[in-house]
Amino acid sequence: MTNPSPWRATVLTLFPEMFPGPLGVSLAGRALASGLWQIEARDIRASATDRHRSVDDTPAGGGPGMVLRADVLAAAIDAAAIGPDRPKLLMSPRGRPLTQTRVRELAQGPGPLIVCGRFEGIDQRVIDGRGLEEVSIGDFVLSGGEIAALALIDACVRLLPGVMGKEASGTEESFSDGLLEYPQYTRPQLFEGVPIPEILTSGDHAKVASWRRAQSEALTEARRPDLWAQIPPKAPNRPRRQKTPKNKTDG
């Protein structure tokens, strides 16, 4: 049965042919075909007013590259005519890092409008004037916002009701409780001389859960100290596990 008000992503881009792209296959693709969500890719050039369909100009103050014009992009945003309850996002390396918490918030709403920048960036006046929320998927620079938008949409779509096969699949994974996901294993029992950890085949669900939690904590502490610092101790009088300090003679 089709959702009468499916989650919807409206993407403003200079390359609408990039969508749905990889979102048209696998879980997201099946959900799209069944009407669990929708995507609309709108060409920013459609809002250009000159015969050359110009969308950019040289940066004020000089410098390399080109900047996406405020008047053209603002007109494209206005033409999308989204409701006031839908967030307006700009994929940008200077934006706030996208987190699983923010993804969950976006997935629980009606769906965002996503602006995909190009060139050296977009005129600041349209960011301010249209209330765009700048979002980053990492500390690196892409050729444009389209790949970042695909990643954000995929992260949201997989959380929509009915998309994933098992509800637990969305709760027992990295960042769902602030920790990285524990290691996973499956058959064969022995691979290149390495067995599956015995506790995972013990049938003791409590011990399995405890092992997985410990593994998640160890991985998070080692690989993401920024996340680990945000995890409160399990009990008021139980100090957090500390790393063994180096000997003063160590390098």
Side-chain angles (χ1 to χ4, degrees):
M1 181 177 180
T2 302
N3 188 333
S5 299
W7 190 88
R8 182 181 184 87
T10 301
V11 183
L12 300 186
T13 173
L14 295 175
F15 301 97
E17 63 272 18
M18 292 181 69
F19 298 88
L23 297 173
V25 298
S26 190
L27 285 175
R30 290 195 294 270
L32 181 62
S34 63
L36 293 177
W37 70 287
Q38 298 176 349
I39 186 168
E40 176 189 20
R42 300 177 63 92
D43 191 347
I44 295 172
R45 291 189 188 277
S47 295
T49 56
D50 67 334
R51 65 189 181 92
H52 299 293
R53 302 181 78 199
S54 302
V55 297
D56 60 339
D57 209 329
T58 55
M66 304 292 280
V67 176
L68 197 59
R69 292 172 51 132
D71 55 347
V72 175
L73 183 54
I77 294 172
D78 295 344
I82 68 168
D85 58 332
R86 296 181 64 191
K88 297 188 287 291
L89 311 179
L90 168 64
M91 307 312 299
S92 167
R94 75 177 193 182
R96 291 183 178 178
L98 182 64
T99 65
Q100 189 67 16
T101 297
R102 185 61 179 132
V103 165
R104 191 175 297 109
E105 292 171 352
L106 292 169
Q108 291 173 347
L113 175 142
I114 306 173
V115 176
C116 299
R118 280 274 161 174
F119 316 120
E120 291 301 309
I122 73 174
D123 193 303
Q124 183 65 39
R125 291 170 296 179
V126 75
I127 298 175
D128 298 335
R130 294 300 182 273
L132 300 183
E133 173 190 342
E134 296 184 70
V135 178
S136 170
I137 64 166
D139 295 336
F140 50 88
V141 180
L142 298 168
S143 299
E146 287 79 13
I147 292 176
L150 289 168
L152 183 148
I153 295 170
D154 180 79
C156 291
V157 167
R158 64 190 301 276
L159 297 183
L160 300 178
V163 173
M164 288 198 291
K166 292 184 178 180
E167 189 173 338
S169 296
T171 58
E172 295 184 5
E173 56 189 10
S174 291
F175 312 116
S176 60
D177 59 356
L179 297 171
L180 298 183
E181 188 179 11
Y182 47 80
Q184 297 280 10
Y185 297 86
T186 189
R187 291 176 291 184
Q189 172 66 31
L190 191 67
F191 173 69
E192 296 185 346
V194 181
I196 295 174
E198 186 176 348
I199 194 169
L200 297 180
T201 58
S202 67
D204 190 323
H205 298 298
K207 288 183 177 180
V208 168
S210 179
W211 181 89
R212 286 175 168 171
R213 177 73 186 194
Q215 291 291 312
S216 288
E217 290 179 350
L219 283 170
T220 304
E221 183 180 16
R223 299 181 183 179
R224 292 294 302 272
D226 56 322
L227 293 176
W228 180 250
Q230 300 175 42
I231 305 298
K234 293 182 179 179
N237 297 323
R238 179 181 175 182
R240 176 174 293 164
R241 178 165 55 87
Q242 299 292 328
K243 293 182 178 179
T244 304
K246 288 185 177 181
N247 188 289
K248 290 183 179 180
T249 60
D250 292 342

